[in-house]
Amino acid sequence: MTGNQTLALDWDSIRTVLLDMDGTLLDLHFDDFFWTEYVPSRYARRHSMTVEAAREELFSRYRRLEGTLDWYCVDFWSRELQMDIPVLKREVEHLIAVQPYVIDFLDAARTPRRRVVLVTNAHGKSVDIKMKKTKLGRRLDALICAHDLGLPKEDVPFWDLLQEVEPFEPGATLLVDDSLPVLRSARTYGIRNLVSIRQPNSHGPIREITEFPAIQDFREIRPGSNGSCR
């Protein structure tokens, strides 16, 4: 938690827990390394150019699509770059890691009366690679990819689409996500409990977040800890 904010979740009132994947349940280091280091190095080799030139070209492409489904789509980038992105991801999958205390949190949050659901913008092929590596799927009630719904989480209408496949009451829902645009979208929709992540990438800086309650790790919101209710 940051600043003078307090984080007191009333777990008795929470019936649905929506969790982001990359940067929330999983360390964003894998994705940051993959897209900023590994893909540029392979792209440079393919086109006989320097890594610096490849990075400049790719970053320009990334920025134009940020926040759209194409930005998150491995099939789109496989076509665009003429490289098999899922294969490249598997080449460095050893970097995929679960954030600290996530497993304890999932086991505590998931009860017969409370659903714990992964809701991610990541493409299904990326989700498959990461769930196979981490085995987190067995601790979740459902896994939902925004690609299957046709809108990214940044778009407010996304949450209506989510309701069609995973009904939830906004006032009785907790969303944990490292993306501030996603949290703003959820706030506009009316989701009551919103929590951000201060350090999505374990190799990156700790962010100072004042717009939403934020945690360093999942011990701070685990049901039954820090005075919170189960």
Side-chain angles (χ1 to χ4, degrees):
M1 294 174 280
T2 61
N4 57 10
Q5 290 179 333
T6 59
L7 189 53
L9 295 174
D10 179 8
W11 279 102
D12 284 339
S13 70
I14 294 173
R15 294 293 177 265
T16 304
V17 179
L18 304 178
L19 299 165
D20 177 49
M21 184 172 69
D22 301 319
T24 300
L25 295 183
L26 303 185
D27 192 338
L28 197 60
H29 174 60
F30 168 81
D31 297 275
D32 284 351
F33 172 81
F34 182 78
W35 291 106
T36 66
E37 302 292 337
Y38 197 66
V39 170
S41 70
R42 295 296 298 268
Y43 189 80
R45 188 188 314 170
R46 179 182 181 87
H47 294 279
S48 302
M49 59 198 302
T50 67
V51 174
E52 291 73 17
R55 189 177 289 115
E56 182 177 351
E57 177 184 332
L58 292 174
F59 284 14
S60 176
R61 293 195 192 190
Y62 297 163
R63 285 191 294 270
R64 287 198 296 270
L65 294 167
E66 189 170 357
T68 69
L69 281 182
D70 281 343
W71 193 51
Y72 299 101
C73 183
V74 297
D75 288 342
F76 172 84
W77 289 112
S78 292
R79 293 191 303 268
E80 280 287 299
L81 305 181
Q82 293 297 296
M83 298 192 299
D84 193 327
I85 296 299
V87 166
L88 295 182
K89 285 187 177 233
R90 284 191 287 270
E91 289 176 358
V92 290
E93 68 176 8
H94 61 280
L95 295 176
I96 297 171
V98 179
Q99 293 277 42
Y101 308 104
V102 159
I103 291 175
D104 287 344
F105 171 81
L106 294 177
D107 290 346
R110 189 182 182 200
T111 72
R113 61 186 180 83
R114 185 187 303 123
R115 287 179 63 80
V116 176
V117 179
L118 177 73
V119 182
T120 178
N121 280 334
H123 189 273
K125 291 179 181 178
S126 292
V127 175
D128 288 345
I129 291 170
K130 291 172 179 177
M131 290 300 105
K132 189 173 296 184
K133 174 70 174 178
T134 64
K135 314 299 186 192
L136 284 185
R138 67 184 65 169
R139 290 183 157 87
L140 300 164
D141 291 300
L143 293 84
I144 297 171
C145 298
H147 289 266
D148 296 330
L149 303 184
L151 285 177
K153 293 186 292 181
E154 289 87 341
D155 291 2
V156 176
F158 165 85
W159 305 102
D160 278 325
L161 297 175
L162 179 62
Q163 287 275 18
E164 296 177 9
V165 297
E166 181 65 41
F168 63 94
E169 181 182 344
T173 296
L174 165 67
L175 169 66
V176 187
D177 202 301
D178 67 301
S179 168
L180 297 184
V182 169
L183 290 168
R184 292 177 190 128
S185 167
R187 180 175 60 194
T188 298
Y189 186 75
I191 293 178
R192 179 181 180 185
N193 301 285
L194 302 170
V195 175
S196 187
I197 303 294
R198 294 179 63 203
Q199 193 175 20
N201 181 338
S202 63
H203 291 62
I206 296 175
R207 305 184 298 173
E208 189 66 31
I209 297 172
T210 58
E211 188 176 353
F212 298 96
I215 58 173
Q216 182 67 28
D217 64 57
F218 276 86
R219 285 178 299 182
E220 298 175 49
I221 57 171
R222 182 182 180 274
S225 66
N226 293 335
S228 61
C229 298
R230 184 177 295 275

